[in-house]
Amino acid sequence: MKKRFLFLVLILGLGMFLAACGSDTTKVSDDDSTSGAAQNEDSEEENKSEEKPTDESDNVQEDADTKVTNTFTNKELGISGTSGPLNYEISAIQLKEIEIKSESAATMFEKSVGDTVQAITIEMSGENTSEEDMSFYLGQATIITDTKEQLEPDMFLSEHIDGEYLGQVQHEGHNVYILNKSNVSDIKSIEVRIGAPVDSNFDAKGEDVVEMIEVNN
């Protein structure tokens, strides 16, 4: 049971980087193409063994317990900002459909075999630019979907993002959100809300954060 749980955490959290690996491209100029023709020809066979497929298989991970399909991935969100002395970045998002295949996975997700779980993974990081100790809870960020769901992170599936910044430190991780009423394929926008950073006296030292993520476009 523990092994299955850890595997699901890996798939949910780190799968976003596996899904997009086939989409990275490198542009070559005409001059470079001409001058490098011989080298390209010689290394063609070698490169074939290193090429990764760009079809649907890139976006599916499956074992005896679950079949996880990554339906949307953006590793270059580029959303960043500042609230008081805290800098933050929302760097990546992935939408997933998780088909339950075993009784153990069904128990874990409180579903039945054959059901599909709809999940959102969002990667975030924060940095305290002040020497003063601060609290800023990215790991408790609430999301609101345009399908009218308000969701908190699933703490068991998420990668913990430390909310205590003892001086000038950085923290990062990802939150996993499980949809209750809608499908990831129906979502077009996700609003992310994060409470303002506070000092050791619990006094706010910035503004609440509100950011919008566009998906499935």
Side-chain angles (χ1 to χ4, degrees):
M1 180 67 176
K2 183 176 180 182
K3 289 182 179 179
R4 292 191 178 101
F5 177 78
L6 292 175
F7 177 78
L8 284 173
V9 172
L10 178 63
I11 291 298
L12 280 168
L14 301 184
M16 69 169 61
F17 303 107
L18 299 176
C21 62
S23 64
D24 294 336
T25 59
T26 302
K27 294 184 179 180
V28 181
S29 68
D30 291 339
D31 290 342
D32 290 340
S33 177
T34 301
S35 62
Q39 291 89 335
N40 290 339
E41 195 171 302
D42 292 339
S43 60
E44 183 175 352
E45 292 301 319
E46 179 181 351
N47 288 341
K48 283 182 180 179
S49 64
E50 297 177 359
E51 288 176 357
K52 297 180 180 179
T54 58
D55 59 15
E56 185 180 355
S57 62
D58 276 343
N59 296 322
V60 178
Q61 301 93 42
E62 185 172 7
D63 71 351
D65 298 306
T66 61
K67 179 180 179 181
V68 181
T69 302
N70 304 322
T71 65
F72 177 85
T73 300
N74 187 344
K75 298 193 299 178
E76 300 179 352
L77 283 177
I79 298 174
S80 61
T82 300
S83 179
L86 269 295
N87 296 331
Y88 64 87
E89 180 179 11
I90 304 174
S91 55
I93 187 170
Q94 188 167 79
L95 311 184
K96 302 170 182 289
E97 294 181 342
I98 307 164
E99 180 184 341
I100 306 300
K101 297 173 57 181
S102 70
E103 290 294 343
S104 58
T107 300
M108 187 183 311
F109 283 103
E110 298 181 346
K111 298 286 186 179
S112 300
V113 174
D115 286 350
T116 299
V117 176
Q118 309 285 321
I120 300 170
T121 301
I122 302 177
E123 183 177 89
M124 304 181 184
S125 62
E127 177 186 10
N128 183 14
T129 64
S130 169
E131 295 183 357
E132 182 180 4
D133 294 350
M134 303 294 296
S135 298
F136 186 50
Y137 296 105
L138 295 173
Q140 297 178 18
T142 300
I143 65 170
I144 301 96
T145 70
D146 64 330
T147 55
K148 301 183 179 181
E149 290 205 54
Q150 177 179 320
L151 302 170
E152 307 296 328
D154 186 307
M155 296 303 178
F156 290 103
L157 296 176
S158 300
E159 180 185 15
H160 176 64
I161 308 174
D162 199 328
E164 301 299 321
Y165 294 76
L166 305 182
Q168 297 179 338
V169 296
Q170 299 177 339
H171 296 311
E172 62 183 13
H174 57 257
N175 295 339
V176 176
Y177 302 86
I178 304 298
L179 295 170
N180 298 314
K181 303 175 183 177
S182 56
N183 297 327
V184 290
S185 59
D186 297 327
I187 299 174
K188 300 300 181 185
S189 63
I190 300 169
E191 183 178 297
V192 181
R193 297 191 184 186
I194 308 164
V198 298
D199 62 16
S200 56
N201 295 319
F202 301 101
D203 293 326
K205 293 296 182 181
E207 302 294 330
D208 292 345
V209 173
V210 179
E211 297 286 0
M212 188 69 69
I213 303 174
E214 303 294 331
V215 297
N216 291 326
N217 50 25

